[in-house]
Amino acid sequence: METKYIFLDVDGTLVNYRNELPDSAVAAIKKAQANGHKVLPLTGRSKAEMYDYILNIGFDGYIGGNGSYIEYEDEVVLHKNLALEEVIEIVDWLRERGLEFYLESHSGLYGSENFKERGQQPVRDYVRTKGQKNTETITVDDVFPEMIYGEDLYREDIAKISFILDSYEDYEAALEKFPHLKVGTWGGAEEKAIFGDIGIQDITKAKAIEMFLEKTEAERENTLAFGDAEIDHSMLEYCAVGVAMGSGAEVTKEIADYVTDTVDNDGLQKAFAHFDLI
């Protein structure tokens, strides 16, 4: 059997938006690996957000920060961070606008002073529009269980900064303020803008896969990508097969080669079976 390289988004693909990991997904990954295939998460999450219960699956590598960090066979292939002066400028600008935020690093997630309080409603809106139920009980700690507070936020190890959008104008202002950086939005169903983020320019999931293939000398024709949101489009289109999750955005389903079921309805396992990976 020819080795396939399988790249998995995490939120809304591997785990649901309550950070719950289906046993069926774990079983599918392990069976695919036993069949000789390679499975890697390709996520916006930093390594610090890849909690033990996820990492303990035993992946064949890890691509984080939406492609700014690549690790394979215990070797760091790529590791890009924002410059310290860029972090300082962003943090100061967010504080001036009264926006709460968190810094994303492989050493941890670092929240601003009032992120836990101000983030309560945005995270509930976020998981609700992703199809989760009983969202009135969800807290910031449910979504970001290891967020660190009270630390110095002028840091040199930051790949990306996410912030709560009080209005869409905050995103537009960020675009104007930081034209040399990658400014985006993320949120809920159909890409409703709930959060903004600022990161390194010219970083995409597709470029990360291209670099990974160059490193491993694997063939693009043997790649599959799984995702649920617009941020995943570049890898769904780049890989030989792009799979959208059943709870994903409609626009994501439209560009995918195949649409599987939701995370909670064993979507990953069903797709692995459909493509004879297990």
Side-chain angles (χ1 to χ4, degrees):
M1 182 181 294
E2 195 164 25
T3 297
K4 301 295 184 182
Y5 292 82
I6 306 161
F7 301 95
L8 304 177
D9 172 52
V10 173
D11 296 285
T13 301
L14 177 62
V15 303
N16 66 21
Y17 285 91
R18 282 183 176 268
N19 276 313
E20 296 166 339
L21 172 64
D23 291 339
S24 63
V26 178
I29 291 168
K30 290 185 176 295
K31 181 64 183 299
Q33 291 172 316
N35 287 341
H37 305 303
K38 304 295 185 182
V39 184
L40 297 89
L42 204 175
T43 174
R45 292 190 183 208
S46 67
K47 195 70 177 286
E49 293 177 90
M50 296 294 288
Y51 309 121
D52 287 345
Y53 74 97
I54 300 176
L55 287 178
N56 288 343
I57 294 172
F59 295 103
D60 296 291
Y62 162 72
I63 305 176
N66 287 327
S68 63
Y69 181 90
I70 304 174
E71 185 179 297
Y72 184 65
E73 294 183 340
D74 298 322
E75 177 187 352
V76 177
V77 178
L78 176 71
H79 189 183
K80 289 188 175 182
N81 285 321
L82 293 164
L84 176 59
E85 56 267 27
E86 291 173 331
V87 174
I88 292 172
E89 183 180 17
I90 296 166
V91 167
D92 287 350
W93 182 80
L94 290 168
R95 284 171 167 164
E96 288 169 6
R97 290 186 70 91
L99 299 175
E100 299 301 324
F101 58 93
Y102 64 93
L103 313 182
E104 302 182 39
S105 164
H106 294 295
S107 64
L109 299 183
Y110 300 91
S112 61
E113 181 179 2
N114 299 310
F115 183 80
K116 182 180 287 192
E117 176 186 357
R118 294 273 298 278
Q120 191 82 288
Q121 191 58 50
V123 299
R124 289 175 179 173
D125 292 341
Y126 174 52
V127 297
R128 183 176 62 253
T129 58
K130 290 294 188 178
Q132 296 299 301
K133 302 184 186 305
N134 302 318
T135 58
E136 66 277 359
T137 65
I138 290 176
T139 67
V140 169
D141 288 339
D142 290 327
V143 178
F144 304 106
E146 297 184 17
M147 183 81 74
I148 300 166
Y149 300 96
E151 294 289 321
D152 182 5
L153 299 181
Y154 292 163
R155 304 182 60 88
E156 295 182 320
D157 59 345
I158 303 304
K160 184 157 61 82
I161 300 176
S162 288
F163 57 98
I164 299 169
L165 291 171
D166 287 347
S167 69
Y168 195 75
E169 285 71 25
D170 293 323
Y171 163 66
E172 293 174 326
L175 277 175
E176 182 177 351
K177 177 68 176 178
F178 304 105
H180 58 297
L181 297 175
K182 185 175 183 178
V183 180
T185 65
W186 53 281
E190 302 308 319
E191 306 307 318
K192 175 184 176 184
I194 298 174
F195 294 90
D197 58 22
I198 304 172
I200 303 161
Q201 191 64 274
D202 299 325
I203 291 291
T204 69
K205 292 188 174 186
K207 287 185 178 180
I209 295 174
E210 184 178 16
M211 184 173 293
F212 175 86
L213 296 180
E214 290 175 359
K215 172 68 177 178
T216 60
E217 298 183 348
E219 297 294 331
R220 183 174 172 182
E221 66 188 31
N222 292 322
T223 58
L224 299 92
F226 291 71
D228 75 313
E230 188 172 349
I231 192 68
D232 303 315
H233 287 190
S234 70
M235 71 171 179
L236 296 184
E237 294 177 321
Y238 179 84
C239 286
V241 175
V243 180
M245 303 303 291
S247 53
E250 289 304 314
V251 66
T252 304
K253 296 176 184 178
E254 289 172 3
I255 64 101
D257 299 301
Y258 180 76
V259 179
T260 187
D261 212 326
T262 64
V263 175
D264 294 326
N265 288 331
D266 305 323
L268 211 60
Q269 184 182 63
K270 290 174 180 176
F272 274 38
H274 175 82
F275 289 104
D276 296 323
L277 301 170
I278 58 176

